PDB file of all heavy atoms in Angstrom:
ATOM      1  N   ALA A 609      13.745  -9.070   8.496  1.00 86.00           N
ATOM      2  CA  ALA A 609      12.218  -8.935   8.642  1.00 86.00           C
ATOM      3  C   ALA A 609      11.604  -7.756   7.760  1.00 86.00           C
ATOM      4  O   ALA A 609      10.477  -7.915   7.192  1.00 86.00           O
ATOM      5  CB  ALA A 609      11.918  -8.714  10.094  1.00 86.00           C
ATOM      6  N   LEU A 610      12.300  -6.603   7.758  1.00 85.00           N
ATOM      7  CA  LEU A 610      11.857  -5.548   6.934  1.00 85.00           C
ATOM      8  C   LEU A 610      11.739  -5.970   5.400  1.00 85.00           C
ATOM      9  O   LEU A 610      10.663  -5.676   4.765  1.00 85.00           O
ATOM     10  CB  LEU A 610      12.741  -4.348   7.020  1.00 85.00           C
ATOM     11  CG  LEU A 610      12.140  -2.893   6.882  1.00 85.00           C
ATOM     12  CD1 LEU A 610      11.061  -2.658   7.817  1.00 85.00           C
ATOM     13  CD2 LEU A 610      13.318  -1.903   6.905  1.00 85.00           C
ATOM     14  N   GLY A 611      12.752  -6.510   4.903  1.00 86.00           N
ATOM     15  CA  GLY A 611      12.687  -7.047   3.470  1.00 86.00           C
ATOM     16  C   GLY A 611      11.640  -8.106   3.260  1.00 86.00           C
ATOM     17  O   GLY A 611      10.928  -8.036   2.295  1.00 86.00           O
ATOM     18  N   LEU A 612      11.489  -9.047   4.225  1.00 84.00           N
ATOM     19  CA  LEU A 612      10.540 -10.103   3.925  1.00 84.00           C
ATOM     20  C   LEU A 612       9.112  -9.651   4.234  1.00 84.00           C
ATOM     21  O   LEU A 612       8.151 -10.130   3.534  1.00 84.00           O
ATOM     22  CB  LEU A 612      10.817 -11.288   4.977  1.00 84.00           C
ATOM     23  CG  LEU A 612      11.973 -12.145   4.681  1.00 84.00           C
ATOM     24  CD1 LEU A 612      12.133 -13.116   5.711  1.00 84.00           C
ATOM     25  CD2 LEU A 612      11.944 -12.769   3.290  1.00 84.00           C
ATOM     26  N   LEU A 613       8.930  -8.637   5.019  1.00 82.00           N
ATOM     27  CA  LEU A 613       7.567  -8.056   5.241  1.00 82.00           C
ATOM     28  C   LEU A 613       6.993  -7.488   3.970  1.00 82.00           C
ATOM     29  O   LEU A 613       5.788  -7.557   3.619  1.00 82.00           O
ATOM     30  CB  LEU A 613       7.632  -6.947   6.335  1.00 82.00           C
ATOM     31  CG  LEU A 613       7.577  -7.491   7.778  1.00 82.00           C
ATOM     32  CD1 LEU A 613       7.773  -6.315   8.731  1.00 82.00           C
ATOM     33  CD2 LEU A 613       6.164  -8.212   8.025  1.00 82.00           C
ATOM     34  N   LEU A 614       7.939  -6.817   3.142  1.00 80.00           N
ATOM     35  CA  LEU A 614       7.417  -6.284   1.926  1.00 80.00           C
ATOM     36  C   LEU A 614       7.018  -7.287   0.848  1.00 80.00           C
ATOM     37  O   LEU A 614       5.935  -7.314   0.234  1.00 80.00           O
ATOM     38  CB  LEU A 614       8.598  -5.420   1.353  1.00 80.00           C
ATOM     39  CG  LEU A 614       8.181  -4.641  -0.010  1.00 80.00           C
ATOM     40  CD1 LEU A 614       7.153  -3.682   0.118  1.00 80.00           C
ATOM     41  CD2 LEU A 614       9.394  -3.949  -0.592  1.00 80.00           C
ATOM     42  N   VAL A 615       7.789  -8.392   0.894  1.00 80.00           N
ATOM     43  CA  VAL A 615       7.471  -9.555   0.061  1.00 80.00           C
ATOM     44  C   VAL A 615       6.110 -10.238   0.537  1.00 80.00           C
ATOM     45  O   VAL A 615       5.263 -10.499  -0.185  1.00 80.00           O
ATOM     46  CB  VAL A 615       8.581 -10.620   0.019  1.00 80.00           C
ATOM     47  CG1 VAL A 615       8.222 -11.774  -0.929  1.00 80.00           C
ATOM     48  CG2 VAL A 615       9.824  -9.950  -0.630  1.00 80.00           C
ATOM     49  N   ALA A 616       6.153 -10.486   1.809  1.00 78.00           N
ATOM     50  CA  ALA A 616       5.035 -11.167   2.435  1.00 78.00           C
ATOM     51  C   ALA A 616       3.667 -10.271   2.245  1.00 78.00           C
ATOM     52  O   ALA A 616       2.607 -10.840   2.082  1.00 78.00           O
ATOM     53  CB  ALA A 616       5.211 -11.520   3.928  1.00 78.00           C
ATOM     54  N   GLY A 617       3.956  -9.062   2.394  1.00 77.00           N
ATOM     55  CA  GLY A 617       2.755  -8.127   2.194  1.00 77.00           C
ATOM     56  C   GLY A 617       2.087  -8.276   0.862  1.00 77.00           C
ATOM     57  O   GLY A 617       0.885  -8.355   0.681  1.00 77.00           O
ATOM     58  N   ARG A 618       2.919  -8.399  -0.181  1.00 75.00           N
ATOM     59  CA  ARG A 618       2.438  -8.541  -1.494  1.00 75.00           C
ATOM     60  C   ARG A 618       1.657  -9.832  -1.607  1.00 75.00           C
ATOM     61  O   ARG A 618       0.575  -9.952  -2.211  1.00 75.00           O
ATOM     62  CB  ARG A 618       3.568  -8.539  -2.555  1.00 75.00           C
ATOM     63  CG  ARG A 618       3.175  -8.808  -3.913  1.00 75.00           C
ATOM     64  CD  ARG A 618       2.379  -7.687  -4.598  1.00 75.00           C
ATOM     65  NE  ARG A 618       2.030  -8.052  -6.004  1.00 75.00           N
ATOM     66  CZ  ARG A 618       2.820  -7.531  -6.870  1.00 75.00           C
ATOM     67  NH1 ARG A 618       3.902  -6.824  -6.687  1.00 75.00           N
ATOM     68  NH2 ARG A 618       2.464  -7.825  -8.138  1.00 75.00           N
ATOM     69  N   LYS A 619       2.223 -11.020  -1.207  1.00 75.00           N
ATOM     70  CA  LYS A 619       1.684 -12.267  -1.258  1.00 75.00           C
ATOM     71  C   LYS A 619       0.359 -12.369  -0.402  1.00 75.00           C
ATOM     72  O   LYS A 619      -0.616 -12.932  -0.836  1.00 75.00           O
ATOM     73  CB  LYS A 619       2.584 -13.384  -0.812  1.00 75.00           C
ATOM     74  CG  LYS A 619       3.952 -13.434  -1.632  1.00 75.00           C
ATOM     75  CD  LYS A 619       3.672 -13.729  -3.116  1.00 75.00           C
ATOM     76  CE  LYS A 619       4.865 -13.787  -3.812  1.00 75.00           C
ATOM     77  NZ  LYS A 619       4.730 -13.875  -5.344  1.00 75.00           N
ATOM     78  N   THR A 620       0.476 -11.730   0.826  1.00 79.00           N
ATOM     79  CA  THR A 620      -0.801 -11.776   1.578  1.00 79.00           C
ATOM     80  C   THR A 620      -1.871 -10.927   0.965  1.00 79.00           C
ATOM     81  O   THR A 620      -3.046 -11.396   0.958  1.00 79.00           O
ATOM     82  CB  THR A 620      -0.392 -11.160   2.967  1.00 79.00           C
ATOM     83  OG1 THR A 620       0.595 -11.880   3.589  1.00 79.00           O
ATOM     84  CG2 THR A 620      -1.614 -11.097   3.900  1.00 79.00           C
ATOM     85  N   GLY A 621      -1.464  -9.738   0.324  1.00 77.00           N
ATOM     86  CA  GLY A 621      -2.506  -9.035  -0.326  1.00 77.00           C
ATOM     87  C   GLY A 621      -3.215  -9.778  -1.513  1.00 77.00           C
ATOM     88  O   GLY A 621      -4.467  -9.763  -1.619  1.00 77.00           O
ATOM     89  N   ASP A 622      -2.388 -10.571  -2.241  1.00 77.00           N
ATOM     90  CA  ASP A 622      -3.022 -11.306  -3.372  1.00 77.00           C
ATOM     91  C   ASP A 622      -4.059 -12.351  -2.794  1.00 77.00           C
ATOM     92  O   ASP A 622      -5.107 -12.485  -3.372  1.00 77.00           O
ATOM     93  CB  ASP A 622      -1.878 -12.037  -4.132  1.00 77.00           C
ATOM     94  CG  ASP A 622      -1.048 -11.057  -4.900  1.00 77.00           C
ATOM     95  OD1 ASP A 622      -1.501  -9.896  -5.124  1.00 77.00           O
ATOM     96  OD2 ASP A 622       0.150 -11.463  -5.257  1.00 77.00           O
TER      97      ASP A 622
END
Side-chain angles (χ1 to χ4, degrees):
L610 205 60
L612 289 179
L613 278 173
L614 184 61
V615 178
R618 174 68 176 269
K619 300 302 179 186
T620 300
D622 292 342

